[in-house]
Amino acid sequence: MAKIAFILLTHKDPEGIIAQAERLTSAGDYVSIHFDARAKPEDFERIKSALETNPSVTFARKRRKCGWGEWSLVGATLEAVRAAVEAFPKATHFYMLSGDCMQIKSAEFAHRFLDAEDVDYIESFDFFASDWIKTGFKEERLVYRHWFNERTQPKRFYAAFDLQKKFNLTRKIPDDIQMMIGSQWWCLRRRTIEWVLDFCRERPDVMRFFRTTWIPDETFFQTIVRHVVPEKEIRNRTLTFLMFTDYGMPVTFYNDHYDLLLGQDYLFARKISPDAVELKERLGALWQAEGVSFDISNEGRALFAFLTGRGRIGRRFAPRFWERESTLGRERTLMMVVCKKWHVAKRLVEQVRHHAGLPVIEYLFNEEGGLPDLGGIERTVDKRNRHRRALLRMLFDYYESDRLVICLDPAGLELMQDFTSDKCTTRVLEVECDFSDEYLIGHARRVGLAGEHTSREVLDRLLPTIRYDLQHESDQMRDAQFPNFSRMREAASPEENAHALAQFLGIKTELAQQIAATDYLFVD
C-alpha cells in the first residue's frame, strides 16, 4: 500500500503546522517540514518541540530564507525532500504541500488512488509552446540571470534586467534540456525522487542555470522529471485543487465550500481560509475516516468561472466588438430567433423553412458545422464570430435571398447589437421558455457547472443563480430596445404566438398559425 511522505513548506502559524503534521501522520504517512528561516526562531522551536517525539516527522537539515520567485523555494524543497528520503525508507510517494493546503479526501481514498497507477503526478507543459504563463515575463525568465527579488528589491531587479537587455547579455538554455512549466504542487514516486536527486548531483551546470532563473519553482521539477521519467509514466496534472481569480490571485475556500471540495477529482486543496474553522474541522476529521465514498463531479472550476464571470461582458464593461465588417446591405432583412432552449428554436425554424420557404441557419455562432463551404470563413466558431458580417453577407449571397433567419443564444447580446446597428433591416424574436428545476440541472451538467454526482445541496444553491442569469439575459434584450422586437411565450396560446410570429417573419397570420400550432414545439 502507498505510504506518503508529505513535503511541507511553511513559514507561519506554528499551531496549524503542528496540527497538520499530526493529522497527516495519523494514518501511517510521514511529514518532512521546512520552516522558513526568516520566520521567528521561537515559532520553529515550538513546532520542533511539539513534534520531536513523533517518529513520522522529520525536519529539513538546513533552513533557507525563502522569497517568492527565488531559487530559495526550490532549495528549501530539496532540503525537505533529502531529509524525507533519508528518514523514511518505506515512503513510496512524496507529496508537495504548503501550510495552506488541506485534504479533501480520506487517507484510505488517497492510498487507494496512488496504488491504482504506477505513475507520477506533475503539471509539465512545454515552456515555449504552451500558454501557461498568461502575463509578465516569459522567455525573460530563462535567458537573463536574476539575482534579486522583484518584490523586495524591485530597483535592483529591473536595473540588472535592463542592463543585460541593453547589452544583449543573454544565456543559453542547456542543450539537452526541454524547458517545461506547471504548478509547483506535485506527487512523485520514490524512484522518481531518487532520480531527481541523482540528476542534481550529476548536473551542476543545470543547477547553476536554475539558481538564477526567475520563479524556478514552476520550472525546475517540471523540467527535470520530464527529463528522467518516461512520458507514459507521467500524468500531466496536479492532485492539489487550486483556482486563480482573473487577477491572478489564488481562490480562498470557506466553510460553505465543503461539499464542492469533496466533489473534485483531487486529494488536497489550497488555499483554505484561516477563518474557515468549521471547514478545517470537517476536513481534518475526514483524513482518518474509513469507508467514505466520494461522488466526483469535478464542476469546481466551471462553477467558479460561471459565478465570477457573470457581469463581465455588457455589465461591468461596455460591449466590445471583435471586428466590424461593412454593411450586410440596405435591401436585406436579417431575422434573429433568440432562445435559450436550442431544441425549441431549431424546431421553430424548421417549421419556418417548411411552411414559409425561408433560408434558416441554426446557432451558427455557437455550433461547429451546419454551413456550406464558404472558402474557410465558416470552419470554426471563433472565425465566424470574428468575421460575422462578412459571413452573413456570404450566406445571403449563397442562398440568393434578401431574407435570412438565424438562431442566436440570449447570451449573444453583442451579436444582436452589432447586427441591429447595421443598415440592413433586422428583426428579433425572443422565444421565452419555462425552465423547470430538472431542466436547469440538466443545463448545469451540459455546460460543466455540475456533474452527475453533484450533491443536491450544491444544486439547490446553484439553481437560483442560473435562473436569475437566464432572466437577466432576457431583461438585457428588452432593455436594448431593438426597433423590431417580438416575443413568443411557452405560456401563451398558439393564437398569441402566431401574431408575434407573423409580425417577425412578415407573413400572413394564417401561415403563422400553422407554425405556432406545432404541438411538440416546446416539449423538453
Side-chain angles (χ1 to χ4, degrees):
M1 184 179 75
K3 293 182 77 69
I4 308 168
F6 291 101
I7 308 303
L8 192 56
L9 293 195
T10 61
H11 66 282
K12 61 181 180 179
D13 188 17
E15 295 305 322
I17 294 168
I18 294 167
Q20 189 179 28
E22 290 177 338
R23 182 171 55 248
L24 292 175
T25 57
S26 64
D29 296 302
Y30 312 103
V31 172
S32 178
I33 299 173
H34 180 279
F35 192 69
D36 197 333
R38 296 183 189 276
K40 297 178 181 178
E42 56 268 29
D43 286 347
F44 179 65
E45 289 305 318
R46 191 186 320 169
I47 297 168
K48 199 167 184 179
S49 175
L51 296 173
E52 62 183 355
T53 58
N54 188 332
S56 296
V57 176
T58 191
F59 294 87
R61 302 291 179 264
K62 179 181 180 181
R63 292 171 56 209
R64 294 178 178 265
K65 294 181 178 180
C66 297
W68 184 89
E70 295 179 6
W71 166 258
S72 55
L73 287 174
V74 178
T77 304
L78 289 172
E79 293 293 344
V81 165
R82 293 187 184 104
V85 168
E86 181 181 340
F88 309 127
K90 293 183 179 180
T92 62
H93 293 77
F94 294 74
Y95 196 123
M96 177 82 167
L97 286 178
S98 76
D100 294 324
C101 297
M102 283 199 75
Q103 65 282 346
I104 55 176
K105 298 291 186 294
S106 64
E108 180 182 65
F109 181 98
H111 294 151
R112 197 163 54 235
F113 181 94
L114 294 177
D115 283 335
E117 282 194 287
D118 185 22
V119 295
D120 298 305
Y121 294 90
I122 182 169
E123 267 193 2
S124 184
F125 301 97
D126 185 279
F127 186 94
F128 296 100
S130 73
D131 63 348
W132 200 87
I133 298 174
K134 302 299 183 184
T135 59
F137 284 176
K138 186 170 183 178
E139 183 180 5
E140 294 88 347
R141 292 191 187 190
L142 307 178
V143 300
Y144 297 109
R145 296 169 178 83
H146 302 277
W147 298 281
F148 307 103
N149 188 292
E150 182 191 25
R151 293 188 175 182
T152 59
Q153 298 175 294
K155 290 183 179 179
R156 291 181 176 180
F157 178 91
Y158 285 106
F161 170 72
D162 291 339
L163 187 65
Q164 293 177 80
K165 191 173 181 180
K166 179 179 180 180
F167 292 101
N168 197 28
L169 300 176
T170 58
R171 59 177 179 171
K172 285 184 62 178
I173 297 169
D175 290 333
D176 62 332
I177 296 295
Q178 180 184 4
M179 290 300 301
M180 310 296 287
I181 191 166
S183 167
Q184 63 268 52
W185 311 109
W186 40 254
C187 179
L188 305 175
R189 296 166 295 173
R190 184 180 194 92
R191 183 184 66 181
T192 300
I193 286 291
E194 291 171 347
W195 285 348
V196 169
L197 294 179
D198 289 343
F199 183 94
C200 292
R201 288 189 293 268
E202 295 166 3
R203 294 295 301 270
D205 60 319
V206 177
M207 300 299 284
R208 284 195 298 272
F209 176 84
F210 276 107
R211 283 192 180 97
T212 51
T213 295
W214 185 233
I215 320 182
D217 54 318
E218 294 179 347
T219 54
F220 179 79
F221 285 97
Q222 297 77 0
T223 299
I224 305 308
V225 169
R226 282 281 179 179
H227 189 76
V228 300
V229 177
E231 183 176 1
K232 65 181 180 180
E233 296 180 21
I234 298 175
R235 296 294 173 265
N236 193 2
R237 58 163 296 188
T238 175
L239 295 180
T240 298
F241 180 59
L242 67 161
M243 298 188 297
F244 291 90
T245 69
D246 51 0
Y247 300 103
M249 300 300 293
V251 173
T252 301
F253 299 108
Y254 297 92
N255 289 334
D256 58 352
H257 285 127
Y258 180 80
D259 290 323
L260 181 143
L261 291 175
L262 264 59
Q264 306 314 305
D265 187 21
Y266 297 84
L267 303 183
F268 284 76
R270 76 179 303 267
K271 10 183 348 174
I272 308 298
S273 169
D275 300 321
V277 177
E278 180 187 344
L279 178 62
K280 288 184 175 182
E281 289 177 353
R282 297 178 74 183
L283 293 178
L286 179 65
W287 186 245
Q288 296 184 61
E290 296 181 356
V292 180
S293 61
F294 296 90
D295 293 328
I296 307 298
S297 57
N298 222 33
E299 79 281 8
R301 286 191 172 85
L303 180 59
F304 177 78
F306 169 71
L307 293 175
T308 57
R310 291 166 60 250
R312 267 308 210 181
I313 299 173
R315 292 193 228 173
R316 279 199 281 171
F317 302 111
R320 181 174 67 115
F321 304 139
W322 289 356
E323 189 172 309
R324 290 187 180 273
E325 305 283 0
S326 58
T327 180
L328 301 181
R330 292 179 183 274
E331 73 286 356
R332 288 170 168 167
T333 299
L334 177 66
M335 292 167 276
M336 295 171 273
V337 176
V338 184
C339 183
K340 199 64 181 182
K341 289 187 177 180
W342 292 7
H343 61 278
V344 173
K346 290 178 179 182
R347 290 172 188 162
L348 177 62
V349 298
E350 180 56 37
Q351 293 300 312
V352 169
R353 188 203 321 261
H354 176 70
H355 289 284
L358 293 173
V360 301
I361 305 169
E362 304 169 353
Y363 293 98
L364 71 165
F365 295 108
N366 301 96
E367 296 180 308
E368 302 283 1
L371 294 184
D373 184 357
L374 300 173
I377 194 174
E378 80 291 345
R379 289 178 185 168
T380 67
V381 168
D382 183 61
K383 187 175 288 188
R384 295 179 192 183
N385 274 275
R386 278 203 310 274
H387 306 289
R388 58 188 67 160
R389 294 196 182 188
L391 175 68
L392 288 180
R393 284 202 314 275
M394 295 173 77
L395 287 170
F396 275 113
D397 293 338
Y398 177 85
Y399 287 109
E400 298 181 349
S401 173
D402 289 334
R403 304 176 75 204
L404 183 66
V405 181
I406 65 173
C407 297
L408 296 178
D409 189 277
L413 180 67
E414 65 170 280
L415 287 166
M416 296 174 238
Q417 291 173 318
D418 190 12
F419 296 142
T420 53
S421 68
D422 192 82
K423 295 177 182 178
C424 73
T425 300
T426 54
R427 299 175 187 163
V428 178
L429 173 69
E430 179 188 10
V431 182
E432 184 182 288
C433 300
D434 298 333
F435 298 99
S436 65
D437 285 354
E438 290 70 23
Y439 178 85
L440 292 180
I441 290 171
H443 172 74
R445 287 171 177 159
R446 286 190 293 274
V447 299
L449 298 179
E452 289 298 324
H453 302 293
T454 300
S455 69
R456 187 70 208 192
E457 183 180 352
V458 173
L459 290 173
D460 287 342
R461 291 201 302 266
L462 180 59
L463 289 181
T465 305
I466 298 177
R467 194 178 295 280
Y468 170 81
D469 206 61
L470 299 182
Q471 183 59 51
H472 181 79
E473 290 177 346
S474 178
D475 291 342
Q476 279 188 308
M477 276 192 291
R478 299 174 196 185
D479 293 342
Q481 297 183 335
F482 296 127
N484 299 300
F485 182 81
S486 306
R487 184 181 306 111
M488 290 178 61
R489 296 183 299 116
E490 182 174 354
S493 67
E495 290 73 21
E496 291 175 299
N497 285 336
H499 178 74
L501 194 57
Q503 184 180 35
F504 171 68
L505 294 172
I507 60 177
K508 293 181 179 180
T509 304
E510 294 78 11
L511 186 56
Q513 285 177 342
Q514 293 182 47
I515 300 172
T518 305
D519 55 2
Y520 56 86
L521 187 61
F522 290 99
V523 174
D524 287 334

